[in-house]
Amino acid sequence: MFQSILSTIKNYQTIIIHRHQRPDPDALGSQLGLREILRHNFPEKTVLATGIDEPTLSWMAEMDTVTDESYNGALVIVTDTANQPRIDDQRYLEGDFLIKIDHHPDEDVYGDLSYVDTKASSASEIITEFALETGLILTDEAARLLYSGIVGDTGRFLYPATSAKTMRIAAELREFNVDFAAMARQMDSFPFKIAKLQGYVFDNLEVSENGAARVTLTQEILQSLNVTEAESSAIVGTPGKIDSVKAWAIFVQQADGKSYRVRMRSKEVVINTIAQKHDGGGHPLASGANSYSSEENDQIFQEIIDAIATKEY
């Protein structure tokens, strides 16, 4: 499949790379790492990355300005995005050919060519493997971006998706001239206001008897701490620091005051099936959903409680 992807890339002069909305390090690492690889190996081609710039990840790289005309006869590649509604920049269908490269469960099959490896820790791992397997030259900058993506999606190699293969690929990237210590500091640090938000989560976390946890971040709380919705994603793992918590949801109230972005995580219990019932999806232990009322929030929390209750320990 990698050779088919490479052959398709060689057939196009303009390549536009997309990723998902609300990008995390893997979304940007895979998207921008691929951009760097293709620009270096095919300097005669126009290779662009589109999507909204995320201020909290500006240290990784910036998006390009992509015109509507750029899509005429172009190859479009979408990385790290399971579902079409989540693709950032809906012009992804305006090109001549579409490739999907992803590691999430393949519930929304799209693209003229699709490569999905659910055993991969991250899309950045797949892009690195693609370059290594096809003989494309990696650069220091590509290594920096791809390693950041792998570190982000593996929780610094602590999550279950981290495999021996993940470590081997990460080791290949470590051979490049990158200040990995500085990268680690960048990814592990956060502003004081996020520390205060963490304190709020610990103070207001509701935990059920069987280890389900939840907290709601209202617009009032976010504004009082001067924290944006995107910045609040930094505390998604906070409830999991508590040993008695097995699975949790963070409900982030949207600007309309009625709907909620739901960030769900679990240590062992499968939760993406819950997310799928609430306009979302993702990995078995890390998913996102959408809720449209406080009543739906309660329903999601109860479903997490029930999921824990039915799992044998």
Side-chain angles (χ1 to χ4, degrees):
M1 181 64 77
F2 284 157
Q3 287 297 333
S4 296
I5 292 173
L6 180 60
S7 295
T8 304
I9 288 170
K10 289 179 177 179
N11 288 335
Y12 285 87
Q13 178 60 33
T14 299
I15 301 161
I16 304 172
I17 310 172
H18 291 239
R19 39 77 182 162
H20 63 71
Q21 301 166 1
R22 301 185 181 97
D24 55 12
D26 185 37
L28 292 180
S30 58
Q31 178 193 31
L32 301 176
L34 180 59
R35 180 182 70 177
E36 171 65 16
I37 291 169
L38 297 184
R39 283 180 173 177
H40 181 80
N41 287 270
F42 304 101
E44 75 283 2
K45 297 183 184 294
T46 299
V47 185
L48 304 169
T50 185
I52 296 173
D53 278 302
E54 172 49 55
T56 62
L57 294 173
S58 60
W59 56 272
M60 292 188 70
E62 295 182 349
M63 299 296 105
D64 298 303
T65 299
V66 182
T67 65
D68 292 345
E69 290 73 22
S70 299
Y71 286 86
N72 294 333
L75 168 63
V76 176
I77 302 175
V78 180
T79 69
D80 196 38
T81 313
N83 307 314
Q84 293 181 75
R86 290 198 67 208
I87 299 174
D88 195 345
D89 192 335
Q90 288 296 301
R91 295 178 296 174
Y92 71 97
L93 291 174
E94 299 300 317
D96 181 66
F97 196 90
L98 177 64
I99 297 177
K100 173 185 181 180
I101 301 176
D102 190 31
H103 68 121
H104 298 90
D106 200 16
E107 295 145 6
D108 183 1
V109 179
Y110 65 87
D112 301 296
L113 185 60
S114 175
Y115 182 85
V116 177
D117 181 3
T118 57
K119 294 182 179 179
S121 69
S122 55
S124 294
E125 177 181 320
I126 295 173
I127 297 300
T128 306
E129 184 183 13
F130 164 67
L132 295 173
E133 289 291 328
T134 58
L136 293 176
I137 297 172
L138 287 163
T139 65
D140 292 340
E141 176 63 3
R144 181 184 74 87
L145 291 163
L146 294 166
Y147 190 85
S148 297
I150 293 172
V151 169
D153 251 28
T154 60
R156 296 162 182 79
F157 305 105
L158 295 177
Y159 296 160
T162 306
S163 65
K165 180 180 178 181
T166 304
M167 301 303 285
R168 287 194 296 269
I169 287 177
E172 292 276 358
L173 296 173
R174 293 282 302 203
E175 294 291 338
F176 287 84
N177 184 25
V178 177
D179 190 341
F180 292 101
M183 179 196 301
R185 289 193 299 271
Q186 178 72 55
M187 298 185 74
D188 201 40
S189 63
F190 46 73
F192 184 54
K193 63 183 180 180
I194 299 300
K196 295 173 73 174
L197 181 60
Q198 277 195 332
Y200 177 86
V201 170
F202 284 130
D203 284 342
N204 294 273
L205 192 67
E206 176 186 350
V207 185
S208 71
E209 291 183 357
N210 69 349
R214 69 170 170 179
V215 67
T216 300
L217 303 180
T218 64
Q219 283 291 308
E220 181 181 5
I221 292 298
L222 293 177
Q223 292 169 11
S224 69
L225 296 175
N226 193 30
V227 174
T228 66
E229 180 195 342
E231 290 172 330
S232 72
S233 64
I235 53 85
V236 69
T238 297
K241 304 292 185 182
I242 301 172
D243 58 5
S244 61
V245 171
K246 297 175 181 177
W248 62 98
I250 298 176
F251 299 91
V252 184
Q253 188 180 43
Q254 302 298 285
D256 61 13
K258 299 178 182 179
S259 61
Y260 298 81
R261 174 66 178 167
V262 188
R263 299 188 177 104
M264 303 169 60
R265 297 293 185 270
S266 175
K267 295 176 181 176
E268 296 182 37
V269 178
V270 173
I271 54 171
N272 63 342
T273 51
I274 298 174
Q276 289 164 14
K277 292 189 289 185
H278 298 276
D279 191 21
H283 298 290
L285 305 182
S287 297
N290 293 283
S291 170
Y292 300 97
S293 67
S294 59
E295 290 78 15
E296 188 172 2
N297 290 353
D298 292 339
Q299 181 183 351
I300 292 171
F301 185 50
Q302 184 60 53
E303 289 171 359
I304 295 173
I305 293 173
D306 294 342
I308 294 174
T310 57
K311 180 176 173 60
E312 296 182 2
Y313 288 90

